[in-house]
Amino acid sequence: RPRVAMALDLAREFVVPDAFADLCVDADDDDARARDGRRRIVIARDASLDVASCDPSERADAVDDVVRILCDGEAETLVNDLNAFGGAYALCRDFIELTPIERMRLIDALCSNLSVLSASVTAAVVSGASADEAQAETMFGYRQALKAYATFIFHVCEVCEKESKECAAMACAQKPAPGAKGKKKQTNKAKLAEWAWDEQRERIVHVMAGALDIDLWQVFRPKQPEEDFLRLFVRLGSMLLENPAALKSKVTKRAAFEMMGSCALKWGQLEQVTTALIHLLNKCEHLSGPIAELASAAADRFENAHLAAALIREVGRVDPHDYKLQQASDAVGVRCVGAFLSEIAERMPKTTMTNMSVLMPHLDGEAYSLRSAIVSVLGHLLISQKDVVAVSDHHDNSTAPLLRTKQGFLDLLVERVHDTSAFTRARVLNTWATMAEAKAIPLSHWLVVTDLAIGRLHDKGALVRKAAMGLLASLLGFNPFAPQLPSATFAESLKDYEAKLASMTPPEEETPEESAEGKESNTDDGSQEPPKQQEGDANAAIHLNGGLEAVRTMVAALKTALGFTVQLSGTVANLSNLLTSSVASDVTEAIGLLVRMRQFNVDGSTEGVRRLLGLIFSRDQAIKDAVVEAVDVLYLSNAESPMLAAAGLSELAATAALGELASLEDVLKALVLSGRLPPTGAVMKTLWSNVSSDECSNNRKAAALNVLTMCARTSPEIVRGHLGTVCAAIEAALSGEKKSPTLCRAACCALTVVRGKDGEPLELSHPVFAELAKVLHPAAPLAGRAWFPSAEQAISALYSLHPDPEHASSEVIKAFAVATFNGNSMDKIPTAVLARFLFVLGEVSLKHLVHIEKLARSVRQARVVRDREAAEAKEKGDSGDNDLAAAMGEGAVAEDLLLDATREKAEAELLATKKGAARGLVAIYAPFVVQLCSHPAVVQGPELLRGAALAALTRFMVLDAKFCEDHLKLIFTRLKVESDKGTRSALLVALGDLAFRFPNAVEPWTEHLYGIKEWGNSLHDTDASVRQHAITMLSHLVLNDMMKVKGHISEMARCLEDVDPRVAGVAKLFFHELSQKHGNPIYNLLTDLLSRLSSDEDISPDAFKRIMTRLVGFIDKERQAEAICEKMCARFAEACLAETPKPARDIAFCISQLNLSERAFKKFTESWKQYDAALYDHEVHACFIAMCHKQKRAAKPEAKQFVEAFETRLNDAHVERAAAYNVSARAEGKEETVVAEIKKEEEEPSEEKPQTVDNDEEIPSEIVRTDSKTSDEQENVAPDLPKVATPPTSPPRRSRRAAA
């Protein structure tokens, strides 16, 4: 084979080049052949093989020659052989042109020779050859070969890494779009299909790392190892660290760590390695953890932590102002530096502690990412020192500095919870949580940390509130006191131990001050945790060694435990408020914390769990899932046995209010559907055994039946297979000395769910009807008001299960009519009997109306099924007579019309009469009920009879529109004079139902519904519960578009300032939901609301401002705000003519609350003539000045000048108008106006120093500032509230020293 001629200048030394191409020089370039007086091994450019221009056979020959020479010769052949050096250089230079096989052969040869060379050098060093002058020449050859192999292999790695990145970028760019078809174009990736660089990289870096295990001091003696040579390994390690894919390989990662660690700590390249790692840290986001791991591994391997210390010092030397600038331009770099500090503190706390002084200045810097990281560093250091105090009980001199340092770190963490950045505040709370889990919080700080967490529940940042709840959960879960935390248990134990301490302490031994100091000295370090108090055994004697001091420690610990339980019980109210937050994370975290508190039996947690049940109706699926999970955790999955699970659910149902029962029903439905509460599971069987057991009380049976009924609404077979047990429960409720109305109602309610949606009615002979007949008998044994709930459920069960409910209900009515009127005159009818009869009349009429609608719905569903089957048959070609029927008008539309007409006819027959004779089910009793409601004896009679009569009348009115119109006046008359608040509330609810069914009939009475006419007082009722029912009813009507808003909405706006928080809460919710409707109706109503509320003398100025602040806050679109501003400015002309400045003040205040854009503000300034006359008033002027200040804070520099000019114009106009007004007022004898003192606003410094601010105060529920966020964070608004813009305050500043 032909051999390529090469000329090798066999100089005395191989010098590592700055660039690989420097090894090839011109033949006549003598300067390039020498460096620093040393003759270099180079190759002539005209003799170098051009691999790129060679054909495949020539290239293969060249590879064969080089590989053969390297494999057959000695390890130092590369620098001694002419063909080996030149060929290896050419192949490495054009490595990218080689085929995969050729690449692997060349790499194999280079790596094998480097491994052999490393072994040879090691053997020579061990044998002492380097010290022998006769072998010095051999060591010199080893040194040249070692540098040459490292240079060639590094260049190969550099080329391959670059190629790998390019291929990855090309593959990403050529990735087809989803759904795209067609063949992909062949690229270089196909060419390199056999080339697995990841595998080759592992071998190369392993060999290169092994080369650094040689004793380079002996190889390079008498000089130090060359920096250029070691720089190759630093650059290679940096290249590997920079590639995330390379770090996925354990071999590559370990080799990179070994190379960087060896260069830094073994071969004197600490500064270079530190600089390279810091550069990578600021550049690559994935290297925070690996670099910390590298420093830790190097310290373990070489027992030298100088690399970690150098990295920390390098980070700390940077000016905090530089980090502030970097935070604004490259936040990722600062975040990576912070993450590295946190990682290194966790891995190497002692080294971090030693260099903590260089990091502390950054705690007052303006880069919040770095502040947050240093907070984490403090936490890791405190965790590492958690056992320091236990060793230093005697406070010897060796541990005193550590104690002081630890106390200082704890104080810093307490202060930092008031940082200006929400991210840093959240990191502080998370750090405390980590310390709690590591049991590193001293007992003396336990109450302090708990108080900090509770205070942060009101933070304006959602991230901080979430972290605060996480901290409380950690404190609760890792508390050192007891697995159950009822305050009464600790209070009793504390009382006993205080008495014991008093008996053990002689009065003359020490003063109370000294005793207190003794307690502090024993509790500040938290070294002796109290033994766990078991529930129910808190007063048990605890055997403590140490006598008096031990009892003192126990008393201090019990005081801390009692304080902790009291703090947690007070947190339940805050968590209940967070359940109504508009931020989903607040709600889910609050649910989780309430569940945790209930598991630890914290006082008040049961009430919090009841409140979270209502969130099952949330629109957010995550919140609904959290509620279901909470019930599952509390009552099912963590229950020790099915009996305890059944008992827990029964107790929850027995003590729940009406709204909570509806929520619990939906939760149980979800649990049944998800399979966590199977219909045939052990819990269900236990509940049925409780119902049938004679040992269980009637109330417990009723609770179990209620739970079963709720579950059966999803799976009716739960009750369908136990009808005998239900009948036995009814029999037990109606028999015996003590009747049980609760059990009777629960059993009848269970019967209403037996049939389900598609079930068949029961046979007439079924024993269920006999039991229902006992309940619906006029002489039923249930006395007083207790009968009515049972009768209501019994009538519902009758209509659900009976095959002919109309006939059955008519028989019930007849039986009650006979019992009421048979042989009794009107004056002698018992009140209870008449009330029961009226109740049955009203309930039967309502249930029969529902029954008719249900039948119509079932007919319509059957028709839909039939039409679907007909359509399927038509597709198959069997159309039959369907087309002809449709052509004759007998299609779906005609059938719907016929069905609706039939339903309306059936409904009308309920109160229909024919030739004076009643035809309907209850028509004959309608005149009697009407006369009864207006009879003086009933109006002034018992509340039970009066309520039953009015309830029956309203139910009759639901049946027929004409009957409703005729008797609405009677209803409003009774509403006006009714003295019983419960009856008034019931009438309001009934009127709401009538407005839904017959809106046109009730529409003329709208003003009476709002309570602004003589026959209505709903929103102005003296009783808060009646007002609550009224605003709830009106809210439903308005939000469901069943009632026009018109101008009566101002009456509901007044309710925002109602003295009862429940009424105000419903009003707030109403306006929030109204703003969410299409078009935001509040925008169209706002000007009218302004006029009506401003003219209302019963509303104070402060109340007016709070109401309008909330309403204006719903105007969140720029165009709407601009239009509102224009409309309000037009009202100044009329307002200036008023006798008082109040109208103008109210308009100016509302305008100042708008979030105006730059364009809208300019249009406002152009309307000067409209409000110029009102500027004499100092309050109008103050509102406009506040609006200017708000505009300046958000304006650009050029726009800010415009705002300042307008502000000056306002000030001048105010002084002029006020002076003119005062002259006129003195002449007319009127009161003069106040002239505002004009102050020039001080210019704020361009660069603000950060400061800590205390956000402990709770944000008012009426106003939430939306412009109070710092430039370096994005925070969520506080819960429960829509965003309302108000004149902002100056941005907070953080001092160098954080205030506690």
Side-chain angles (χ1 to χ4, degrees):
R1 292 179 297 180
R3 182 177 297 277
V4 180
M6 297 183 183
L8 179 65
D9 185 2
L10 295 175
R12 292 293 300 168
E13 193 169 357
F14 179 88
V15 180
V16 177
D18 295 333
F20 192 71
D22 293 346
L23 290 176
C24 184
V25 299
D26 295 332
D28 56 351
D29 190 356
D30 294 335
D31 295 337
R33 295 175 178 270
R35 175 187 293 181
D36 299 332
R38 297 181 297 174
R39 297 288 295 171
R40 298 172 52 210
I41 300 178
V42 294
I43 186 170
R45 183 170 286 105
D46 55 357
S48 177
L49 176 66
D50 188 2
V51 178
S53 60
C54 293
D55 58 35
S57 60
E58 292 180 348
R59 186 173 63 240
D61 291 341
V63 172
D64 289 339
D65 290 343
V66 172
V67 170
R68 178 178 53 78
I69 296 173
L70 292 178
C71 293
D72 294 344
E74 297 294 334
E76 60 272 21
T77 304
L78 181 64
V79 293
N80 295 332
D81 188 272
L82 170 71
N83 294 308
F85 187 85
Y89 168 78
L91 295 176
C92 291
R93 181 194 59 195
D94 299 326
F95 188 81
I96 197 172
E97 302 294 336
L98 303 181
T99 64
I101 300 299
E102 294 168 350
R103 292 184 178 189
M104 288 186 285
R105 292 186 63 194
L106 179 60
I107 289 176
D108 183 71
L110 293 174
C111 291
S112 299
N113 277 26
L114 181 57
S115 298
V116 173
L117 178 63
S118 300
S120 300
V121 173
T122 302
V125 169
V126 171
S127 64
S130 59
D132 188 358
E133 294 182 1
Q135 299 296 331
E137 189 68 22
T138 303
M139 188 60 68
F140 176 81
Y142 287 161
R143 182 167 64 246
Q144 308 314 311
L146 184 62
K147 293 190 290 183
Y149 280 118
T151 302
F152 285 11
I153 293 177
F154 170 77
H155 179 72
V156 169
C157 288
E158 192 175 27
V159 170
C160 292
E161 285 291 337
K162 182 178 179 180
E163 182 188 40
S164 177
K165 291 181 180 180
E166 292 177 353
C167 290
M170 187 179 302
C172 183
Q174 295 182 351
K175 185 177 181 180
K181 298 182 179 179
K183 295 183 179 179
K184 292 188 290 185
K185 195 173 181 180
Q186 292 290 331
T187 62
N188 290 337
K189 188 177 180 181
K191 174 183 176 182
L192 300 176
E194 301 177 4
W195 171 245
W197 167 236
D198 292 337
E199 298 177 2
Q200 298 299 324
R201 183 200 292 123
E202 290 184 358
R203 183 182 182 189
I204 289 176
V205 298
H206 176 70
V207 173
M208 289 288 283
L212 290 178
D213 291 336
I214 303 173
D215 189 354
L216 297 180
W217 301 109
Q218 296 294 334
V219 173
F220 284 87
R221 65 179 307 177
K223 300 180 180 179
Q224 296 181 351
E226 295 180 5
E227 289 189 6
D228 292 340
F229 170 71
L230 294 174
R231 190 181 299 116
L232 293 175
F233 295 90
V234 176
R235 291 174 61 189
L236 178 58
S238 301
M239 189 190 310
L240 297 175
L241 291 174
E242 190 176 356
N243 188 357
L247 292 180
K248 293 180 181 180
S249 169
K250 294 182 179 180
V251 175
T252 304
K253 183 177 180 180
R254 183 174 61 252
F257 286 2
E258 291 176 355
M259 283 188 289
M260 301 296 280
S262 298
C263 290
L265 302 178
K266 190 176 180 180
W267 307 122
Q269 301 298 308
L270 179 61
E271 184 176 353
Q272 289 188 12
V273 173
T274 302
T275 303
L277 291 179
I278 291 296
H279 173 72
L280 291 174
L281 189 60
N282 286 275
K283 178 181 178 182
C284 304
E285 192 172 1
H286 68 280
L287 285 182
S288 303
I291 291 180
E293 184 181 355
L294 187 157
S296 177
D300 293 340
R301 183 183 181 190
F302 298 103
E303 297 182 355
N304 187 341
H306 287 173
L307 177 58
L311 291 171
I312 296 174
R313 287 195 296 269
E314 190 69 23
V315 170
R317 286 195 188 102
V318 180
D319 193 303
H321 183 71
D322 295 340
Y323 277 126
K324 174 192 174 183
L325 300 178
Q326 187 179 359
Q327 181 83 57
S329 60
D330 181 22
V332 175
V334 183
R335 188 164 61 247
C336 292
V337 170
F340 162 74
L341 291 177
S342 179
E343 288 281 343
I344 200 69
E346 183 178 6
R347 295 176 180 273
M348 305 179 67
K350 292 183 179 180
T351 303
T352 308
M353 175 73 78
T354 305
N355 297 275
M356 196 63 195
S357 59
V358 300
L359 298 179
M360 294 306 296
H362 296 281
L363 196 57
D364 286 332
E366 300 187 42
Y368 69 89
S369 296
L370 205 56
R371 296 202 306 270
S372 303
I374 296 176
V375 165
S376 298
V377 169
L378 294 175
H380 292 308
L381 296 182
L382 287 169
I383 291 174
S384 67
Q385 294 180 6
K386 65 179 181 179
D387 297 327
V388 168
V389 182
V391 181
S392 58
D393 289 336
H394 301 290
H395 300 288
D396 54 17
N397 295 330
S398 62
T399 56
L402 290 178
L403 284 175
R404 290 193 295 270
T405 303
K406 179 178 180 180
Q407 185 62 41
F409 287 172
L410 290 171
D411 294 342
L412 283 174
L413 282 182
V414 172
E415 293 172 0
R416 275 299 133 187
V417 82
H418 306 298
D419 196 280
T420 55
S421 171
F423 298 105
T424 304
R425 297 196 299 272
R427 181 67 66 85
V428 173
L429 296 174
N430 291 331
T431 300
W432 281 116
T434 305
M435 292 172 58
E437 294 172 5
K439 299 182 179 180
I441 299 179
L443 201 61
S444 59
H445 281 68
W446 200 268
L447 298 184
V448 176
V449 175
T450 306
D451 187 62
L452 291 176
I454 295 173
R456 290 301 100 193
L457 292 177
H458 305 292
D459 198 280
K460 61 183 178 180
L463 187 66
V464 184
R465 298 193 295 271
K466 180 179 179 180
M469 286 183 276
L471 173 55
L472 287 173
S474 298
L475 291 172
L476 192 60
F478 294 89
N479 79 86
F481 307 115
Q484 296 292 309
L485 298 174
S487 59
T489 303
F490 292 100
E492 294 175 3
S493 298
L494 178 60
K495 184 177 179 181
D496 294 342
Y497 275 93
E498 284 180 338
K500 184 177 180 180
L501 179 62
S503 64
M504 295 175 63
T505 306
E508 65 278 6
E509 277 193 9
E510 56 184 4
T511 63
E513 290 78 11
E514 294 173 347
S515 176
E517 292 175 1
K519 293 178 184 178
E520 291 178 2
S521 64
N522 283 279
T523 57
D524 281 348
D525 55 4
S527 60
Q528 184 173 356
E529 294 184 358
K532 296 271 183 171
Q533 300 287 319
Q534 299 298 326
E535 184 181 15
D537 193 32
N539 295 321
I542 300 178
H543 300 285
L544 293 173
N545 296 323
L548 183 61
E549 292 300 321
V551 176
R552 285 176 177 171
T553 302
M554 192 64 190
V555 169
L558 285 173
K559 286 183 178 180
T560 304
L562 181 60
F564 181 59
T565 58
V566 171
Q567 285 178 322
L568 290 178
S569 61
T571 311
V572 175
N574 298 331
L575 296 177
S576 299
N577 292 334
L578 286 174
L579 292 177
T580 61
S581 171
S582 58
V583 182
S585 62
D586 287 345
V587 182
T588 53
E589 291 294 327
I591 290 173
L593 183 54
L594 283 171
V595 170
R596 197 72 176 267
M597 295 173 74
R598 180 65 187 86
Q599 290 175 328
F600 280 84
N601 200 19
V602 175
D603 296 343
S605 58
T606 302
E607 183 62 28
V609 170
R610 295 187 187 284
R611 293 198 61 178
L612 69 84
L613 292 176
L615 296 174
I616 191 63
F617 302 112
S618 173
R619 297 176 182 175
D620 194 322
Q621 187 61 40
I623 296 177
K624 297 174 69 173
D625 294 341
V627 175
V628 175
E629 184 67 24
V631 175
D632 182 30
V633 169
L634 287 176
Y635 299 101
L636 294 177
S637 60
N638 289 343
E640 296 180 1
S641 65
M643 294 183 63
L644 293 178
L649 290 175
S650 299
E651 181 183 1
L652 182 62
T655 56
L658 186 60
E660 294 167 355
L661 283 175
S663 305
L664 180 60
E665 180 177 328
D666 269 35
V667 173
L668 292 177
K669 285 181 183 178
L671 289 172
V672 173
L673 289 175
S674 63
R676 297 187 233 185
L677 188 59
T680 58
V683 177
M684 292 294 182
K685 293 179 181 178
T686 305
L687 288 171
W688 280 117
S689 65
N690 291 341
V691 175
S692 59
S693 175
D694 295 334
E695 299 178 358
C696 294
S697 63
N698 288 335
N699 289 336
R700 187 175 176 185
K701 292 180 180 180
L705 271 175
N706 286 332
V707 174
L708 291 167
T709 302
M710 296 174 189
C711 298
R713 296 194 185 278
T714 301
S715 301
E717 63 272 9
I718 294 176
V719 178
R720 191 179 299 156
H722 298 83
L723 290 179
T725 305
V726 178
C727 293
I730 297 177
E731 182 68 26
L734 299 177
S735 60
E737 296 181 359
K738 294 184 178 180
K739 310 298 186 298
S740 178
T742 307
L743 178 58
C744 182
R745 182 193 177 280
C748 294
C749 184
L751 293 176
T752 60
V753 300
V754 171
R755 187 171 178 179
K757 293 183 178 180
D758 302 324
E760 295 294 329
L762 302 179
E763 298 179 356
L764 287 174
S765 59
H766 201 282
V768 165
F769 299 119
E771 298 299 330
L772 291 177
K774 295 178 182 179
V775 180
L776 297 176
H777 194 275
L782 299 178
R785 295 177 180 268
W787 174 82
F788 293 94
S790 300
E792 179 185 3
Q793 296 300 327
I795 293 173
S796 298
L798 190 66
Y799 270 89
S800 176
L801 301 177
H802 203 282
D804 187 6
E806 182 175 4
H807 176 72
S809 58
S810 64
E811 293 296 328
V812 172
I813 292 176
K814 289 178 183 179
F816 274 90
V818 170
T820 304
F821 301 112
N822 189 17
N824 294 327
S825 62
M826 289 297 297
D827 297 336
K828 296 182 179 180
I829 299 176
T831 300
V833 175
L834 183 57
R836 289 189 178 190
F837 174 57
L838 293 173
F839 176 81
V840 169
L841 282 178
E843 199 64 30
V844 167
S845 62
L846 190 61
K847 296 299 183 205
H848 201 75
L849 179 65
V850 174
H851 179 63
I852 292 173
E853 293 179 351
K854 183 179 179 181
L855 290 176
R857 187 165 53 250
S858 62
V859 172
R860 183 174 282 106
Q861 290 175 353
R863 181 185 58 76
V864 170
V865 174
R866 185 203 64 190
D867 291 346
R868 186 184 301 113
E869 294 176 352
E872 294 175 356
K874 184 177 180 180
E875 292 178 357
K876 298 178 181 179
D878 301 332
S879 59
D881 298 332
N882 292 332
D883 296 338
L884 179 61
M888 296 177 64
E890 298 179 2
V893 177
E895 288 184 353
D896 282 341
L897 293 175
L898 179 61
L899 180 60
D900 291 339
T902 305
R903 178 181 56 80
E904 293 174 359
K905 183 178 179 181
E907 293 175 357
E909 286 182 354
L910 290 173
L911 289 177
T913 58
K914 184 177 182 181
K915 297 180 180 181
R919 295 176 53 194
L921 184 63
V922 294
I924 190 174
Y925 305 106
F928 167 72
V929 173
V930 173
Q931 293 180 8
L932 202 61
C933 289
S934 57
H935 196 280
V938 176
V939 174
Q940 301 174 3
E943 296 177 357
L944 177 63
L945 180 59
R946 189 167 65 248
L950 290 173
L953 178 60
T954 53
R955 281 164 171 76
F956 284 175
M957 293 170 66
V958 173
L959 303 179
D960 184 74
K962 182 66 170 59
F963 189 85
C964 176
E965 292 179 1
D966 294 342
H967 299 94
L968 274 175
K969 184 176 181 180
L970 175 60
I971 292 295
F972 279 102
T973 303
R974 298 269 60 82
L975 178 62
K976 178 182 178 182
V977 301
E978 179 57 48
S979 60
D980 181 48
K981 62 181 182 181
T983 305
R984 294 201 303 272
S985 299
L987 286 176
L988 286 172
V989 174
L991 286 170
D993 295 336
L994 292 174
F996 262 93
R997 183 158 174 80
F998 306 120
N1000 294 332
V1002 182
E1003 195 273 337
W1005 298 86
T1006 300
E1007 294 181 344
H1008 302 276
L1009 279 178
Y1010 279 97
I1012 56 178
K1013 287 291 185 179
E1014 56 177 342
W1015 285 345
N1017 58 351
S1018 58
L1019 294 179
H1020 302 275
D1021 198 282
T1022 56
D1023 187 79
S1025 63
V1026 179
R1027 296 198 301 273
Q1028 183 183 5
H1029 280 89
I1031 192 172
T1032 303
M1033 176 265 296
L1034 292 171
S1035 299
H1036 282 292
L1037 291 176
V1038 173
L1039 294 176
N1040 289 283
D1041 299 324
M1042 301 305 297
M1043 180 180 290
K1044 296 180 180 179
V1045 180
K1046 295 184 178 179
H1048 312 309
I1049 195 69
S1050 61
E1051 297 299 320
M1052 301 187 72
R1054 286 168 53 101
C1055 294
L1056 290 170
E1057 288 295 311
D1058 195 277
V1059 293
D1060 190 276
R1062 297 173 300 172
V1063 179
V1066 176
K1068 293 175 184 177
L1069 180 61
F1070 164 73
F1071 282 104
H1072 174 73
E1073 293 296 326
L1074 186 64
S1075 67
Q1076 302 300 314
K1077 292 178 68 68
H1078 178 69
N1080 192 0
I1082 295 180
Y1083 162 71
N1084 298 318
L1085 298 168
L1086 194 60
T1087 52
D1088 184 61
L1089 281 168
L1090 169 61
S1091 300
R1092 292 178 180 271
L1093 293 175
S1094 180
S1095 60
D1096 194 335
E1097 297 180 356
D1098 295 333
I1099 300 178
S1100 65
D1102 291 339
F1104 171 84
K1105 290 180 179 180
R1106 288 192 295 269
I1107 292 173
M1108 293 308 300
T1109 297
R1110 176 171 289 275
L1111 296 179
V1112 172
F1114 294 116
I1115 308 301
D1116 53 358
K1117 295 182 179 179
E1118 291 185 3
R1119 291 188 176 275
Q1120 290 182 350
E1122 181 179 343
I1124 287 291
C1125 181
E1126 186 176 353
K1127 292 179 182 179
M1128 289 185 176
C1129 287
R1131 291 176 176 262
F1132 271 109
E1134 182 180 354
C1136 291
L1137 300 178
E1139 296 180 356
T1140 64
K1142 185 179 184 303
R1145 291 175 177 177
D1146 293 341
I1147 295 173
F1149 175 78
C1150 294
I1151 293 176
S1152 68
Q1153 301 305 299
L1154 292 169
N1155 276 331
L1156 297 180
S1157 62
E1158 184 177 337
R1159 184 185 68 175
F1161 183 77
K1162 288 184 178 180
K1163 291 190 67 175
F1164 167 75
T1165 60
E1166 294 170 359
S1167 304
W1168 175 270
K1169 294 183 179 180
Q1170 295 179 339
Y1171 50 80
D1172 179 32
L1175 289 176
Y1176 74 93
D1177 185 72
H1178 67 283
E1179 291 192 17
V1180 174
H1181 169 261
C1183 290
F1184 289 163
I1185 291 298
M1187 184 172 62
C1188 290
H1189 290 173
K1190 182 169 62 175
Q1191 288 294 127
K1192 283 194 296 184
R1193 289 186 177 88
K1196 299 177 180 178
E1198 58 273 12
K1200 186 176 181 179
Q1201 296 178 0
F1202 174 80
V1203 178
E1204 290 175 348
F1206 179 73
E1207 183 179 356
T1208 303
R1209 184 181 180 187
L1210 281 175
N1211 293 332
D1212 296 341
H1214 169 66
V1215 174
E1216 181 182 350
R1217 300 293 184 276
Y1221 177 84
N1222 288 337
V1223 171
S1224 175
R1226 284 193 295 269
E1228 298 178 5
K1230 297 181 180 179
E1231 183 180 358
E1232 297 184 17
T1233 185
V1234 178
V1235 181
E1237 183 179 355
I1238 308 300
K1239 292 183 179 180
K1240 293 184 178 180
E1241 185 179 6
E1242 297 181 0
E1243 295 184 0
E1244 297 181 357
S1246 57
E1247 293 185 4
E1248 296 180 357
K1249 297 297 182 181
Q1251 67 177 3
T1252 55
V1253 294
D1254 190 354
N1255 292 294
D1256 285 334
E1257 57 272 12
E1258 182 177 359
I1259 296 176
S1261 59
E1262 292 82 4
I1263 300 176
V1264 176
R1265 302 187 184 276
T1266 59
D1267 50 358
S1268 60
K1269 301 173 184 176
T1270 58
S1271 61
D1272 59 352
E1273 65 188 42
Q1274 294 293 328
E1275 298 179 345
N1276 292 305
V1277 184
D1280 306 326
L1281 311 166
K1283 293 182 180 179
V1284 179
T1286 60
T1289 58
S1290 298
R1293 305 185 180 199
R1294 188 168 54 81
S1295 62
R1296 285 290 179 182
R1297 295 286 297 177

